[in-house]
Amino acid sequence: MTSWRILIKMMMKMNVRLSLIMTSADVGIIESVQLKNFMCHSMLGPFKFGSNVNFVVGNNGSGKSAVLTALIVGLGGKAIATNRGSSLKGFVKDGQNSADISITLRNRGDDAYKASVYGDSIIVQQHISMDGSRSYKLKSAAGTVVSTKKEELVAVLDHFNIQVDNPVSVLTQEMSKQFLQSKNEGDKYKFFMKATQLEQMKEDYSYIMETKERTKDQISQGEERLAELKQQCLEKEERFQMIAGLSTMKNDLECLKREMAWAVVNEVEKQLNAVRDNVKIGEDRAAKLDRKMEEQQVKLNEIEKKYKDIQDKLEKISQETIARAPECMVLKEDVIAKKRVYSEAEVFYKCSVNEFKVLKKDNDQLCKKIEELKRSADQSLEPEQLERQNRISRLKERVKALQDQESSVNQEMEQFQQAIEKDQEEHGRIRTEELDVRHTLSYNQKHLKELKDSRTNRLRRFGPQIPALLEAIDEAYRRGQFTHKPIGPLGMCIHPRDPTLALAIESCLKGLLQAYCCHNHADEVVLQRLMGKFGLRGASRPQIIVSEFWHELYDVRHRAANHPEFPTVLTALEIDNAIVVNGLIDMRGIETVLLIKNNCVARAIMQSRKPPKNCREAFTAEGDQVFAERYYSSEYRRPRFLSKDLDSEISYLENEVENKKAQIVSFQQQLFALEKDVKRNEEFLRQCQLHCKELQMKIRKCISEIRELENIKVHPPVDIATLEDEAEENKIKIKIMAENLEQEKENVEHLRILQIEAENKYDAIKLKINQLSELTEPLKDELNLVDTEVDKQKRGKRNYEEKQKEHLATLNRKKRELDMKEKELEEKMSQARQICPERIEVQKSASILDREINRLRQKIRAEHASHGDREEIVRQYQEAKETYLDLDNKVKTLKRFIKLLEEIMTHRYKTYQQFRRCLTLRCKLYFDNLLSQRAYCGKMNFDHKNETLTISVQPGEGNRAAFNDMRALSGGERSFSTVCFILSLWSIAESPFRCLDEFDVYMDMVNRRIAMDMILKMADSQRFRQFILLTPQSMSSLPSSKLIRILRMSDPERGQMTLPFQPVTQEEEEN
């Protein structure tokens, strides 16, 4: 009951934090620091800091980082926050037993902390032992110890708004490095939130809301206790009142008896009205069923007419296809014969053309040779000509040899190309098979996991979410959200009598095994919403059957399939719930489906001339579906939901998983071998291509040389007259051959036209037959669908007829019950008038009045027996009443407090969001303004919903360069960008001092100069705030100012116990 005090304390703390952010004072800055036996230093300091800008310079090992680490640890920070160690004992110098840190904080002005106690300064001393423990002493300016408790230090730091773990207050080199190298945008967002203290405010809000919820729980417990106390108080009050008047109880008893008489009449009237209402509802439902049957008959007539129309279309198309088949065969044979004749004529014509060209070419060469011989006067062959002829012969032989090599290489290239294509085709085929096997493996692994989970809970066979879904259904039913509790999954409600028929039953019922039954559409909507909460949406959502729950089995004897040897699905199942049986009869017609184990027997029975009466279809033990004219193979191989031998199924699936994994390994090995062969053949093909190009170049070179040698005029001694006679004979042959070619060409063209005409006729009739076949397939599919719809409509009509019959029987029974109730009412009214002639209004039920009468009689008997101690009864009544009123007052007070707290927190959270938005905008503006001093551009994108911060920087000209992530920048650019980001945070976050360790370590001279100017400019604009900057640079180029103090640290000499540390002003540095 005291949690509200905690909430008030948290809200006051938040108010203090908000007020400090908006207030500035000359408090909280560091005046001096002194270290002893800290880290590797025996003694550092004491040394004093200026009130504005302080540069701590020195080489590595001189103690700069030790000063910063001591500042964090000395003001209560954890060791891990320094990035220098994980335990405080690591800061004690080797060989020493302890370490000491002394830090002096300024405490002046109006916002001084307990100015009358501490004075102008607060000295914080910390002693660290070798075992990692530490102790505090808080002293006044005069050196008096004020407190040794850490709570006092925390109060001082809260008052000054000092946060040593805030990177804006103290940014170590390691933390800066981690920030620069961080790839996580969430880490940058956390950095911003922590720097601006928004993170602490958010945590405070969360803690307050958690405490509020705990307080609500206390209120709920108090209300429950209050109800108990109220009941006790009423009981005590009853005892008190009983003592006051026994006669009153007797009068009350008589009144209760009179009320009881007419209460019985009221209840009989209510029952009579309820029966009348049921009769009226039954009559309305009978009329509704009549309308439904009429609508069903209309639908059945329409679908039967549609079925007959489709059958007529199929018959017409089939007759037309059969009529065109002989003509198609004749035309096909004609096309083949004419193609053969045309091909032979074309080959003969091409051979003749080649012979004609050769003859004509030879004749032209002969005529040319004769002319050359006539013009030549010298008929003698000189030695030079003989040498030329020999050279030509050798070159021709060389060309022939090269051409043979080229032909051989081309054949090898073709072989390699074919091998590559074959391997690639095989690779694609195996890859497809591997993907299919992987898909099967994934399905088997999922099924195997479900089976293993179902060892402890069979419901998990139907999905991992089903147990939780059923619990949610139970909870919703207890809350009254369902009219009747939904039933499902239906597979849990059915059990095969013969385990060998489990696969056949699953193939028949399919998705109905995972379905649910609902009483009405309102229950369906609630169930759909529950399924959606567990990810069961769309195609993955189980089927929901909506039908009024009827707890009596349908009478299907006159329309069920009956076979002396084989059962139906209905008789092969053990189902205890009549609603499940009726649902499966309505949705699947399980009374008309036979189960025949053997495939051949099933075909023989179903596809005989006289299949079993009322049997629409049958299923085999392997899950195959058999109709009178069709047969469909099952896509399942093992039962998934109805198998009883769980271990056998798990063993089978484990073997299947191992086999599939082995197949995948085999496929991967084959793929690797094929890829290796393809690479090897591609390399051979490339080598052959290079070799072929070389041969072609050699051939062209030889041919060119032959042509040059042949162009030299040669006049061998030949008989010209003989050559002229030969030329004359060639002319006669050419003339005759030209005439023959013209005739052959005409014949070939004529045969080609005949072939085209025959092909066109064959293609036309073949196209017509294909079109007829294409028309047949959709009609067959549509016929199957319509056939199923006809059966469905017939079942629906029979279902409505049976429901009407059963309903009329129930209606007549209710009418008889109505007559009996009317007679009973007359009797009860007659009895009531004897007890109380005038009818009275009674608000309570007869059962309540009966209990009150019995209780009152017992009280009267008890009072007659013994009245008991009157003073004790009065005392107990007073105590119970006081306890109840006290608790009631506390509960009401807490409720008012919670209501007020919710209003306050709503307003404060809106203010927090506005404050966060303002800080975000200011940070963006400061960051962009600081980058512009170096001609950079930058963006800061805050995503408060996902808690991410994206920073991108654009060096150079803004219109040409692209925005880059900070990791893509150079070391100097990244350090400069980091300084801009830190300065933007400095501009929006409040803290009495800022410490920055080696801020310019990765900067070049230009970026260092700009960064230094920005820092000094900010320091000049914020003279009430202290800046401590650690750097290995000499800082000799700093401008002269009284606000700047340079603290130079010398390198420690061997054996030196105290480091010389002296403040140096700007003038001394220049001298």
Side-chain angles (χ1 to χ4, degrees), residues 261-262 264-265 268 819-835:
W262 288 107
V264 172
V265 173
V268 174
D819 295 335
M820 295 173 62
K821 286 293 180 182
E822 288 177 346
K823 293 179 181 179
E824 183 182 358
L825 178 62
E826 293 177 358
E827 295 177 358
K828 296 297 181 182
M829 290 187 71
S830 176
Q831 295 174 1
R833 289 192 182 97
Q834 293 177 1
I835 299 173

Side-chain angles (χ1 to χ4, degrees), residues 616-643:
R616 294 180 55 254
E617 58 188 302
F619 283 84
T620 69
E622 296 178 1
D624 297 343
Q625 188 177 15
V626 187
F627 290 94
E629 297 178 358
R630 303 184 301 279
Y631 186 96
Y632 298 102
S633 298
S634 174
E635 60 186 20
Y636 305 105
R637 291 292 176 264
R638 306 279 293 187
R640 181 179 177 185
F641 303 107
L642 302 180
S643 174

Side-chain angles (χ1 to χ4, degrees), residues 924-979:
K924 289 180 179 180
L925 293 175
Y926 280 120
F927 183 72
D928 190 58
N929 181 52
L930 292 170
L931 286 177
S932 64
Q933 299 183 24
R934 188 69 176 88
Y936 287 14
C937 289
K939 288 184 177 180
M940 300 178 70
N941 295 324
F942 290 84
D943 187 350
H944 298 298
K945 181 178 180 181
N946 297 320
E947 297 187 349
T948 59
L949 168 58
T950 305
I951 301 176
S952 55
V953 178
Q954 171 179 310
E957 297 181 5
N959 295 328
R960 299 181 183 176
F963 283 95
N964 295 321
D965 187 81
M966 289 180 65
R967 297 188 303 271
L969 303 176
S970 66
E973 293 171 342
R974 186 163 59 250
S975 296
F976 172 73
S977 301
T978 304
V979 169

